[in-house]
Amino acid sequence: MDSQLPPFSLDDIDLPLADRRVGKVRISWALPTQSAGEEPRRLFVTTDRLSAFDRVIGLVPGKGQMLNELSWWWFQQLAPIVANHALSIPDPNVLIARAATPLPVEVIVRRAITGVTDTSLWRRYEAGSRVIDGHRLSDGLRKNELLPTLLITPTTKGEAGTHDEPLGIAEVVTCGLVTNDLWEATCSAALQLFAHGERVAEQAGLILADTKYEFGVGSDGSLLLIDEVHTPDSSRYWERETYEERLAAGTEPQSLDKEIIRRAFVDVGYRGDGPIPMLRQSVWDAVAAGYQGAYERLTGTSLALAPSPPVSRIIAALNAACLVPSENNPLLNSKAN
């Protein structure tokens, strides 16, 4: 990350735990088991990294806390629909979760035809495709129009530095990625989760335009909702009050998600390849405000950002919860930006 990134943002952290795995936004470790037969667990730290176009493009202070606490709120709301991996949050940026084997596909549920990336539903439709990911779409659709039925459009899970690739809904099974029974259960759960998310968003004056779910299989073979859920990182949220007016005018909906940053990059000619261009600070401020607005309107509670610097705070919380060694811990000097 460059020197223009803000102070006290959480970019990286190291912990004296095994099996460190680094994603675009989250870092996780295996937690040691205390007794035979204990369910395996992982510790996740959600950083302030912002990813778009399958790349990390910057940091937004407080974003990791917002994602982690909002996901925790949603996991509790959605537990009656499908089990999830969340167990506790000992720090605003930390999640303790059941260990799970992730499915090799991400499940995207779409209420609207939108997007600016090359693999988005709108960009492929605009290019002339009418059968997309196994779904036939009618002629005459407008960008950002709500679809009459929900669509599930799976993607592969790209490794670091590679792009996620769209899949036909039937290809998930025919390509041997997921068994038929497990895929049917996954799709059923995803549609129910989205329907609940839509109801909550509507009460908050928002439209849930689309979202990405990740599922895994627990140690007992059960289907689990994992990673994050219904956050502004994994979802598009639009202002309901101004949606119809903007749709009629052909202007973009008011967003409370990272589509703000995607559009800003596209406006300067960037779609994910080559050097990352600089953006005005006002764009980053708008992203932070959108994330906080989505959190507060969905949960009905205000968000108080946790004290900084984040690394020492996180390690202190984990020490207090007896999750990392507390004596002679050299990690209090880990970088925090």
Side-chain angles (χ1 to χ4, degrees), residues 83-225:
N84 62 68
H85 71 160
L87 295 173
S88 65
I89 49 171
D91 176 89
N93 286 76
V94 177
L95 174 71
I96 306 301
R98 299 180 180 91
T101 301
L103 300 189
V105 293
E106 295 176 346
V107 183
I108 301 172
V109 182
R110 303 183 187 273
R111 170 58 75 195
I113 182 166
T114 190
V116 297
T117 65
D118 291 338
T119 57
S120 69
L121 196 60
W122 171 251
R123 290 271 292 170
R124 287 182 284 165
Y125 182 89
E126 185 183 35
S129 296
R130 291 297 179 268
V131 178
I132 302 178
D133 302 337
H135 304 285
R136 181 170 294 279
L137 302 178
S138 60
D139 291 330
L141 297 179
R142 296 172 293 171
K143 186 181 183 185
N144 303 321
E145 185 175 346
L146 300 185
L147 297 165
T149 59
L150 294 176
L151 301 184
I152 292 179
T153 60
T155 69
T156 61
K157 297 177 74 169
E159 299 297 327
T162 65
H163 296 297
D164 299 341
E165 297 295 337
L167 286 170
I169 190 167
E171 289 181 289
V172 174
V173 174
T174 59
C175 292
L177 297 173
V178 179
T179 65
N180 184 68
D181 288 349
L182 181 56
W183 182 234
E184 286 186 356
T186 299
C187 290
S188 175
L191 293 174
Q192 293 177 70
L193 292 169
F194 194 91
H196 186 91
E198 279 193 303
R199 290 192 292 270
V200 174
E202 184 174 10
Q203 292 168 3
L206 300 172
I207 294 171
L208 179 58
D210 57 38
T211 198
K212 177 196 74 175
Y213 298 116
E214 294 203 35
F215 292 90
V217 176
S219 59
D220 60 355
S222 62
L223 181 68
L224 294 175
L225 179 64

Side-chain angles (χ1 to χ4, degrees), residues 240-256:
R240 179 172 292 277
E241 184 178 6
T242 58
Y243 168 74
E244 292 292 348
E245 178 184 350
R246 285 174 169 257
L247 181 67
T251 56
E252 294 294 333
Q254 290 179 270
S255 293
L256 285 80

